[in-house]
Amino acid sequence: MGVTDDDAVIFVLFGATGDLAKRMVLPAFYQLAQHGLMPERWLLIGNGRGDVSHEDFRGRVHDALTEFGPKPEDGPWEEFSQRLRFAGGGFEKSDPGSLLDVIEEEKRDIGGEVRFLHYLAIPPSAFAKVTEGIGEHGLAEGARVVYEKPFGTSPSGFRELDRIVHSVLDEQQVFRIDHFLGKEGTQDLHALRFGNSMFERLWSAEHVRAVQIDVPETLDIDDRAQFYDATGALLDMIVTHLFQLAAEVAMEPPGSLSAADLQAARETVIAAFRPLDPAEVVLGQFEGYRDTEGVAPDSTTDTFVAARLWIDTPRWQGVPFLLRTGKQLHAGAQQISMVFREPSGPLADQLPPDGTVLTVSVSGSGAIHLRVVLKRPGPELVLTTGTALLPLEDVPDADPLPPYVRLIHDVVVGDRSLFTRPDGIAHAWDAISPVLDRRPEVKPYPRGSWGPDAAAELAAPDGWLLDKGLGPNGRD
């Protein structure tokens, strides 16, 4: 991109004092330093509206690492902290704050050619003005720019943001991050399917009856109330994370695992997502949500969503992809389950319920869980089920990286394999538009439950496997 690998890299973290930065992004940068994956010469400049000194910002980063890990004492804190700077006053086209002054000062000190990596850990509503500022103030040439999700908050908002982004940046400079694509379990879907012929041959409607993508959370919205009340579970999770996971499962085999081929396979299958039927979508809001500071007293924001997605390709015709996510639910998990069809033959009338299921957990370091039908040991032929669990962290020589660490490293080296393209995002907005236009009634549900009762009916006849304790998170 016009610079060499020996050039210095200046990371500019917009929104550096916000919740996302302290929980995810700053710890990821520190872990990159722990693993020796940072460029040889680098600086990280935090940007925000407040007037914070370099030393105070270092203190905030230290506090974030202490709270969310890794602990400062477990890594190269002294060296890392000396590479941290802060530029206050915000940043936009009309007013760059102090960022340009800090950059010029640091460029003199660091010497040589400099490559910029801008990370926008800010609300989606601020993406456009910061992007325009990057272009206006000469920070776009040769830069790579990371956008958090959601990329837009409506179909029209997406199109306008995409127009602005491409007026400043080439597509190869744009990295739309979806950290679910960086999870070890998600990436292992490719190896599991394409590296094992027994699974590849079963990976279709001929053998699979249903797919469940289940991401319930026990968490509250914490200090994200303002963002969350303007977004909700549908936009925060379905149009981003869960659609991407569905695409990872449903894609046709790519020509290779190159970035271009993987992205093409992923975006092509998203184009085959049938627009969601509002009658097959359940929205919910946990009781007490409106009492949260920062939430409107009459808010109808959804904190829960379950949906039935259909994918109109020959491989998946007629197979429901059941999606579920929400806050303040009974248990937390991130799992993809493929429910296999019952075989015909001499044992058909003796099969136990909840028979053959392959589940991939994408939480933490990931795990693969296989549930199969077998004979209960004993003198009579009685069928039951047994399970095998393979935590990916137990694989010999495993060195799993958290998703943000993996993805930021990919941005540094320019690998776009696990990042989304605008055509895929456009198709995702097309798929969800009917629900935005004819929004179902938001139903209340008790904290600690599995959400509105209607969501259980949506998953019939199998029901949600996790609710029955099935899968690696249920530990059946």
Side-chain angles (χ1 to χ4, degrees):
M1 300 180 68
V3 291
T4 70
D5 291 339
D6 294 330
D7 294 326
V9 177
I10 291 181
F11 300 96
V12 181
L13 177 56
F14 297 97
T17 57
D19 180 67
L20 175 64
K22 72 181 183 182
R23 287 188 300 110
M24 296 291 188
V25 184
L26 288 167
F29 276 113
Y30 194 54
Q31 286 172 287
L32 284 170
Q34 280 184 312
H35 285 269
L37 296 175
M38 291 293 268
E40 184 175 344
R41 295 185 299 135
W42 65 274
L43 288 170
L44 190 156
I45 302 175
N47 174 259
R49 293 198 171 279
D51 185 14
V52 178
S53 69
H54 299 328
E55 193 58 38
D56 286 343
F57 179 57
R58 293 178 186 124
R60 292 189 181 204
V61 175
H62 189 280
D63 291 345
L65 297 178
T66 300
E67 181 176 359
F68 297 103
K71 304 295 184 186
E73 59 269 21
D74 294 336
W77 170 250
E78 290 304 320
E79 178 185 356
F80 183 86
S81 65
Q82 293 308 306
R83 297 174 185 260
L84 301 177
R85 307 289 188 271
F86 191 82
F91 180 81
E92 54 187 87
K93 185 176 180 178
S94 61
D95 183 4
S98 64
L99 181 59
L100 300 182
D101 295 334
V102 173
I103 286 175
E104 286 306 309
E105 179 181 348
E106 297 306 330
K107 284 174 68 175
R108 288 194 298 269
D109 290 343
I110 203 170
E113 293 295 324
V114 171
R115 167 159 56 103
F116 288 103
L117 194 160
H118 304 295
Y119 197 115
L120 277 61
I122 54 179
S125 59
F127 286 171
K129 65 180 181 180
V130 170
T131 301
E132 292 174 329
I134 288 171
E136 175 71 17
H137 299 295
L139 301 179
E141 184 176 356
R144 294 169 184 161
V145 185
V146 182
Y147 292 87
E148 273 287 344
K149 55 85 181 174
F151 195 77
T153 54
S154 67
S156 60
F158 157 73
R159 290 191 294 270
E160 176 62 12
L161 176 59
D162 193 53
R163 183 192 66 79
I164 291 172
V165 167
H166 285 115
S167 72
V168 175
L169 304 164
D170 294 333
E171 175 60 24
Q172 294 301 309
Q173 295 178 268
V174 181
F175 292 76
R176 302 169 194 82
I177 196 168
D178 188 320
H179 73 273
F180 270 59
L181 292 181
K183 289 176 172 288
E184 292 285 355
T186 305
Q187 296 170 59
D188 213 63
L189 279 169
H190 302 149
L192 183 68
R193 175 181 175 185
F194 303 128
N196 298 278
S197 62
M198 66 176 179
F199 289 122
E200 170 59 9
R201 293 174 181 176
L202 299 176
W203 214 271
S204 71
E206 181 181 358
H207 302 286
V208 177
R209 187 174 74 245
V211 177
Q212 296 191 8
I213 301 177
D214 204 4
V215 186
E217 299 180 74
T218 59
L219 302 174
D220 205 333
I221 59 173
D222 298 321
D223 52 358
R224 302 173 69 218
Q226 186 174 6
F227 163 81
Y228 200 89
D229 200 46
T231 306
L234 186 69
L235 300 185
D236 188 39
M237 295 291 290
I238 296 291
V239 78
T240 54
H241 300 324
L242 273 66
F243 271 5
Q244 292 298 326
L245 291 180
E248 291 294 301
V249 173
M251 69 168 63
E252 290 301 303
S256 72
L257 294 186
S258 69
D261 286 348
L262 264 178
Q263 285 187 321
R266 189 183 298 126
E267 313 312 349
T268 298
V269 78
I270 294 176
F273 285 9
R274 188 187 306 173
L276 295 180
D277 181 349
E280 296 186 310
V281 175
V282 176
L283 301 181
Q285 183 185 94
F286 66 76
E287 295 171 356
Y289 170 78
R290 296 177 182 178
D291 299 331
T292 306
E293 184 177 355
V295 171
D298 58 350
S299 173
T300 59
T301 295
D302 48 285
T303 65
F304 173 96
V305 57
R308 188 184 290 136
L309 170 69
W310 303 95
I311 301 178
D312 290 329
T313 64
R315 182 182 296 272
W316 296 108
Q317 198 72 42
V319 176
F321 279 63
L322 300 163
L323 317 178
R324 181 176 70 168
T325 187
K327 299 288 188 182
Q328 290 282 279
L329 296 177
H330 180 73
Q334 298 172 359
Q335 65 181 41
I336 303 165
S337 299
M338 304 182 75
V339 182
F340 288 91
R341 298 186 185 279
E342 294 85 355
S344 58
L347 298 179
D349 60 350
Q350 300 181 55
L351 293 171
D354 302 315
T356 306
V357 180
L358 173 66
T359 298
V360 177
S361 171
V362 299
S363 61
S365 298
I368 296 170
H369 181 275
L370 180 62
R371 178 184 176 93
V372 297
V373 175
L374 44 75
K375 174 185 175 295
R376 179 183 297 160
E380 298 180 352
L381 178 61
V382 178
L383 299 185
T384 185
T385 56
T387 61
L389 176 65
L390 174 60
L392 297 181
E393 63 187 0
D394 290 350
V395 174
D397 301 321
D399 184 20
L401 292 177
Y404 271 92
V405 179
R406 165 64 190 267
L407 292 173
I408 293 175
H409 178 255
D410 285 354
V411 178
V412 172
V413 301
D415 185 347
R416 295 168 51 80
S417 303
L418 301 176
F419 294 86
T420 58
R421 288 192 334 201
D423 51 339
I425 297 176
H427 291 311
W429 281 115
D430 289 342
I432 210 166
S433 287
V435 183
L436 301 179
D437 295 339
R438 293 179 286 125
R439 199 161 180 263
E441 178 187 359
V442 178
K443 303 177 184 298
Y445 63 93
R447 295 175 187 256
S449 70
W450 283 116
D453 292 340
E457 300 167 10
L458 194 68
D462 298 299
W464 295 99
L465 302 181
L466 188 62
D467 297 14
K468 298 186 286 186
L470 306 182
N473 296 285
R475 292 293 190 268
D476 60 310

